[in-house]
Each structure stands twice: as C-alpha cells, then as structure tokens.
Amino acid sequence: MEFIRIFLNRCFNKPLIVVDRGSWYRWALERLELKYKYQRFGIRNVVERFFGYLKQRTERFYNNINTWKIKSIEDYASTIAITRNLHIIIKTQGRSTT
C-alpha cells in the first residue's frame, strides 16, 4: 500500500481504477479513498494482457540469461547492439540503391 500512496502523491488528480469483481479491491481502494469501477471486459483486459506479455518476456529474459556472471549480460547486450547495427546498415544500403 505504501507504493500506491507514494504513486498517488505524484498524481495531480486521483485516478479511476478499473477492476474486476475481486473482493479485495473494494477494501483496498476504499481505504485509499479511490474511486473504482467494475468492468468485466474491455480496456481492463487489454491492460492485463499487456502486463501478462511483459511479465512473460521478463521471465524469459531472467531464465535465459546467466545473471550470476556479468560477462553473460555483456555478451547479450553486445549481441543485441551488433544485430541492431547490422539491421540499420542493411536497411540504409537498401534505400540508397533505389
């Protein structure tokens, strides 16, 4: 709850929270004096789907990178940078020939 309080202190207005029918939402949101709206489908599902995708990608990264060795992270970052730079070079060369 402390995280949410800190977050709310940075907001100009209190947000309207969109929730499903979880019984714990009402207690927590009323305690924080926040407005909430029940919604079963719609924008709430889109947001949940996005965060589910983000969580899945983060878990893949965490599980596939040996975080105990800094060299592994450096190798991974270098590979991404080289691949991106090659993509840009190939893309740029393709434009200059047309």
Side-chain angles (χ1 to χ4, degrees):
M1 295 267 267
E2 187 62 28
F3 167 77
I4 295 174
R5 285 192 183 111
I6 292 169
F7 176 77
L8 290 173
N9 287 336
R10 296 174 189 242
C11 292
F12 293 112
N13 297 317
K14 289 188 177 181
L16 173 66
I17 310 294
V18 180
V19 299
D20 60 11
R21 297 254 180 212
S23 58
W24 55 89
Y25 292 126
R26 183 176 176 191
W27 172 82
L29 295 173
E30 286 176 355
R31 186 170 176 187
L32 291 168
E33 299 177 359
L34 292 173
K35 294 180 183 178
Y36 59 93
K37 175 178 125 178
Y38 292 116
Q39 188 175 52
R40 192 166 176 195
F41 299 103
I43 191 69
R44 185 187 63 82
N45 284 351
V46 173
V47 172
E48 284 185 1
R49 194 174 322 126
F50 168 77
F51 280 105
Y53 175 75
L54 182 64
K55 179 181 175 185
Q56 183 182 52
R57 300 289 296 204
T58 305
E59 285 174 351
R60 278 190 207 152
F61 176 80
Y62 180 77
N63 291 335
N64 293 323
I65 298 298
N66 184 352
T67 56
W68 293 103
K69 294 182 182 177
I70 201 71
K71 182 70 175 146
S72 176
I73 295 172
E74 290 172 355
D75 289 345
Y76 185 76
S78 294
T79 303
I80 291 173
I82 291 167
T83 305
R84 181 182 178 277
N85 290 339
L86 284 172
H87 176 72
I88 290 171
I89 290 168
I90 292 167
K91 192 174 177 181
T92 304
Q93 287 177 348
R95 287 186 186 158
S96 63
T97 59
T98 56

